[in-house]
Amino acid sequence: MREILQAALALACEGGLDNLTLHRLAGRMGRSVAAVYRYFPSREAVIAELQRLIATHIRLITEDAQADLSKRADRENWDAQDRSLAAIITSGLAYETFARHAPHEFGLATRYLSIPDYVLPERDATHIFEVTGNSLDLLAGLIERATQQGCLSEGNPRDRAVMFWAALQGSIDTLKIVRRGGWTPAPSLTRDMMVNLITGWGANAHALAKLTNKLVNEPPVTIRREVCDLITESGAYADDTPEHEGESEHEGEQKP
């Protein structure tokens, strides 16, 4: 399974998901298509696992950034409100940092986000939420904590988490387009968007600007691993004996 996922990730990063077919995947590994079927029932199953891995990777980057932020806040004696607001901003910075650091992997994970729900099959829509739901839950928890501490006005934390994520995703996607069109938006545009949104939820504008400058001067996000490292390290693939061991691997064989 590790071999399949490593090859699939390489193919998808080289030419997008359209480049990822089971025949190309088998060819990349020097194996038969039937060998791939012994582990994954379809191309969609391979894509789903890649998206799950990338979403997990983004969550781990965010958790690393939050841990580093907590250590810094302890070291510099930040108050509880600054810690809460910084945690929300850091979540957004982690997402943006990964998008810039690994644009191909980021594109694989977010491929369907801009597709209207009325043309997206229910199965795909459900899968997208499954791979992003944990991150949204974590973000909603941070927003709820900030609200309880009086940093933000009263509001539904889940709705705000969706709003924050939608604005962040839209900003990242839009900036890619306008830069190709010759515009040169400010490097801080995504960060400014986050600050304005949080200010609109009742945060003190002056305190938030001061806090954001602290984060900019010492960025809280460090990429310590790649998605391919997660495939190698994951215990989920420790026992990868195929379910159909001993079956034929003739090139033309198809899974029943």
Side-chain angles (χ1 to χ4, degrees):
M1 291 181 72
R2 289 190 183 99
E3 182 184 2
I4 292 171
L5 292 172
Q6 291 277 18
L9 181 64
L11 282 170
C13 287
E14 289 168 8
L17 288 180
D18 291 339
N19 190 49
L20 176 55
T21 67
L22 293 187
H23 280 85
R24 286 198 183 103
L25 182 55
R28 173 64 67 97
M29 296 186 298
R31 297 177 180 269
S32 69
V33 175
V36 178
Y37 273 129
R38 294 164 73 182
Y39 295 91
F40 292 96
S42 65
R43 170 181 178 271
E44 288 71 26
V46 177
I47 292 172
E49 183 62 10
L50 286 180
Q51 290 177 322
R52 187 192 68 80
L53 281 166
I54 295 168
T56 300
H57 184 51
I58 295 172
R59 178 176 57 78
L60 291 174
I61 291 172
T62 304
E63 290 175 354
D64 287 342
Q66 296 291 357
D68 291 345
L69 175 66
S70 180
K71 292 176 183 177
R72 180 184 178 186
D74 289 341
R75 186 173 67 247
E76 299 179 3
N77 296 314
W78 291 12
D79 63 31
Q81 291 193 343
D82 278 355
R83 289 170 185 260
S84 293
L85 291 176
I88 297 173
I89 296 172
T90 295
S91 291
L93 292 176
Y95 196 68
E96 182 194 22
T97 299
F98 177 72
R100 287 189 284 103
H101 175 79
H104 296 298
E105 288 91 340
F106 182 79
L108 298 183
T110 62
R111 172 184 173 94
Y112 300 115
L113 290 179
S114 60
I115 298 178
D117 59 356
Y118 55 83
V119 299
L120 188 63
E122 184 66 27
R123 180 189 62 186
D124 292 336
T126 300
H127 172 65
I128 291 168
F129 183 77
E130 286 175 351
V131 300
T132 58
N134 286 338
S135 293
L136 275 175
D137 285 338
L138 292 172
L139 178 58
L142 296 176
I143 293 172
E144 183 175 19
R145 185 177 68 182
T147 304
Q148 291 173 346
Q149 291 176 341
C151 305
L152 305 176
S153 60
E154 289 297 322
N156 187 308
R158 285 179 173 265
D159 288 348
R160 285 177 170 176
V162 172
M163 201 183 310
F164 188 88
W165 185 44
L168 187 61
Q169 180 68 38
S171 173
I172 292 170
D173 286 342
T174 302
L175 284 175
K176 289 188 295 186
I177 295 173
V178 299
R179 283 173 180 149
R180 289 182 177 180
W183 286 26
T184 53
S188 64
L189 197 62
T190 299
R191 184 180 70 241
D192 294 342
M193 179 276 299
M194 291 190 289
V195 168
N196 288 331
L197 189 57
I198 297 171
T199 301
W201 293 338
N204 181 281
H206 177 73
L208 188 59
K210 183 178 178 181
L211 177 62
T212 304
N213 286 333
K214 283 185 180 182
L215 295 175
V216 171
N217 291 334
E218 189 178 325
V221 182
T222 302
I223 305 292
R224 297 184 176 127
R225 65 181 70 80
E226 304 295 336
V227 175
C228 57
D229 297 328
L230 191 61
I231 295 173
T232 302
E233 297 168 2
S234 177
Y237 313 114
D239 181 12
D240 56 3
T241 301
E243 187 175 327
H244 308 292
E245 185 67 57
E247 289 184 0
S248 171
E249 291 189 6
H250 295 304
E251 188 66 43
E253 184 177 348
Q254 296 295 318
K255 181 179 175 67

